[in-house]
Amino acid sequence: MKFLRKVDALSHSLASSQGRIFEKSISFGIPSKKFIKSYMLSNEASLIDELKLDVAGLSEIEIFDSIANRITNKNGTLYSFSVMHYTGYFYRIASYLTGHSSRFIYQHIKPDLINRNYQTLHSLPIEEAIKEVFEIINYKEEDKYELFKKIYK
């Protein structure tokens, strides 16, 4: 798997922030899968995907409040703090490195997959963990030339 970018200070900062946001949901008793889905499909996540970081309302507190207020049903499982932090970190770095949107990452890599494989994944360097997960889901990145040919047939 080829990455569009390398892990850098910006990616680490964004991923750490997202990890803290995910982790905070546990303190408020928000079911993990509901919170993750709501976050990953949100406009806030899309803005971060596009690195539009100067938009009002993109502080950790404002993002958390916005997502938490959308979730009214508090029935569901809570992951551990460490799994939630890692899931947030993983999703943001995966989006940053691959160039895929948060929506795409969420649709292909479900939280249960990360939760089940947490012990293995968190022990690997993040780039290797991302490659491992893409192998687990059997995702094959289309070559840009092949994609171009398919579109313009």
Side-chain angles (χ1 to χ4, degrees), residues 23-145:
E23 195 177 75
K24 187 174 181 179
S25 69
I26 301 301
S27 299
F28 285 79
I30 301 170
S32 297
K33 289 193 275 188
K34 289 178 184 175
F35 184 85
I36 293 167
K37 180 178 182 180
S38 185
Y39 181 94
M40 295 299 287
L41 303 179
S42 72
N43 291 332
E44 292 87 350
S46 294
L47 289 170
I48 296 169
D49 293 342
E50 297 166 12
L51 298 178
K52 294 181 179 175
L53 306 176
D54 57 345
V55 175
L58 279 184
S59 74
E60 283 183 31
I61 294 168
E62 292 166 319
I63 292 171
F64 176 79
D65 289 345
S66 175
I67 302 301
N69 290 334
R70 294 180 200 152
I71 301 169
T72 55
N73 184 341
K74 301 287 179 142
N75 294 329
T77 304
L78 297 177
Y79 293 162
S80 69
F81 284 98
S82 57
V83 168
M84 278 301 279
H85 184 87
Y86 183 78
T87 302
Y89 190 93
F90 179 93
Y91 277 147
R92 178 53 45 210
I93 290 281
S95 176
Y96 185 87
L97 295 182
T98 64
H100 293 305
S101 68
S102 292
R103 177 176 296 273
F104 177 91
I105 296 291
Y106 175 78
Q107 289 171 340
H108 288 82
I109 305 168
K110 295 298 183 188
D112 281 339
L113 176 71
I114 295 173
N115 184 35
R116 277 192 318 271
N117 294 289
Y118 169 74
Q119 292 297 330
T120 302
L121 294 174
H122 94 282
S123 66
L124 297 171
I126 193 66
E127 298 96 329
E128 294 304 315
I130 293 166
K131 288 177 185 176
E132 182 73 23
V133 169
F134 275 88
E135 282 181 29
I136 290 170
I137 64 169
N138 201 25
Y139 179 76
K140 303 290 185 222
E141 190 83 38
E142 283 193 1
D143 179 82
K144 299 295 180 193
Y145 179 69

